[in-house]
Amino acid sequence: MRTHGWSGRVPVNDAEAVARILAATRATIDRRGTATSIADVARELGVTRQTVYRYFSGTEELLSATALDAVEGLLERVMTRLTGITEPDAALVEGIAAVLEELAEDDYVGLLLRADKLSVPVVGGFTSDDARRFARTMVERLEVDWASRGYDDSALDLIAEIVLRTLQSMVLDVMSHRTGAELRPFLDAWTGAAVRELARGDVAAP
């Protein structure tokens, strides 16, 4: 680990260095938004660009790591909004709507999903194996008694994929202006209907 710079407070290990880089990135994003660069973050920390490059290969990787670091907080806000919703279709429709609305207001996770920052790795990451496992965990955290409503493990896996692909599609649709009252009926017709059919066994789960 480099032992100079850092505004006179050298990190004790690489984990602390990364944490401080991410904190500096958030502070820089607060000021500069999508214009944030490695050089900006290095100045915020009082280190050279090479010091930041030791931990992150470039601005895109740094912004991705900052977004990932902020995901849990965003999802906790979403789960709070879903408190008390026990109907499967309603919970998923409101969950997707809440994620989209939180992303629109989020300066860290949402930053990567704005039109000028979208990339193939970011878009493809929506349906990665890690994303599917994470989505399945979030589906299970909803206040829905899935088993008593007729959803088995295969159905829950499919629901998690439906959620991810819906979010992926909505993020890519930069021309869409559906919000609030317009957004939810659309999501109900698309995602809610599929979830209702799954409970009746009319859609084949993988």
Side-chain angles (χ1 to χ4, degrees):
M1 184 174 66
R2 300 287 294 270
T3 57
H4 66 276
W6 299 97
S7 300
R9 295 187 303 111
V10 180
V12 298
N13 53 38
D14 285 345
E16 182 185 338
V18 169
R20 285 173 61 181
I21 290 171
L22 294 179
T25 303
R26 290 192 295 272
T28 305
I29 290 171
D30 290 343
R31 292 197 309 274
R32 294 183 52 79
T34 59
T36 295
S37 69
I38 290 281
D40 297 321
V41 175
R43 280 193 295 272
E44 179 77 18
L45 287 165
V47 300
T48 65
R49 285 178 296 175
Q50 287 69 29
T51 299
V52 181
Y53 279 123
R54 182 185 187 282
Y55 301 95
F56 299 97
S57 63
T59 300
E60 183 174 317
E61 183 179 330
L62 176 58
L63 293 179
S64 295
T66 304
L68 183 62
D69 192 51
V71 162
E72 186 61 32
L74 182 146
L75 290 176
E76 286 301 324
R77 296 195 299 273
V78 169
M79 297 306 293
T80 297
R81 293 174 59 169
L82 300 180
T83 299
I85 304 177
T86 59
E87 292 296 326
D89 52 350
L92 290 170
V93 166
E94 186 58 32
I96 293 170
V99 169
L100 292 170
E101 289 166 354
E102 289 289 339
L103 285 173
E105 299 296 325
D106 187 271
D107 289 330
Y108 312 123
V109 184
L111 180 68
L112 287 183
L113 303 179
R114 290 168 195 161
D116 60 335
K117 289 294 182 181
L118 276 176
S119 64
V120 171
V122 169
V123 174
F126 270 86
T127 53
S128 67
D129 289 341
D130 285 343
R132 292 183 192 214
R133 284 191 290 270
F134 189 74
R136 171 64 188 266
T137 299
M138 296 308 297
V139 166
E140 292 175 343
R141 285 179 60 185
L142 295 171
E143 295 180 18
V144 176
D145 188 345
W146 294 106
S148 71
R149 298 302 185 96
Y151 298 91
D152 59 15
D153 281 344
S154 294
L156 291 182
D157 283 340
L158 186 52
I159 286 171
E161 182 175 355
I162 289 170
V163 168
L164 290 173
R165 292 192 181 279
T166 301
L167 286 169
Q168 183 184 53
S169 179
M170 297 297 289
V171 166
L172 282 171
D173 184 14
V174 295
M175 298 303 291
S176 175
H177 298 293
R178 289 189 179 93
T179 58
E182 291 181 335
L183 176 61
R184 285 158 177 79
F186 176 76
L187 290 173
D188 183 66
W190 183 1
T191 305
V195 171
R196 289 189 289 271
E197 291 300 308
L198 271 174
R200 293 195 286 269
D202 295 335
V203 178

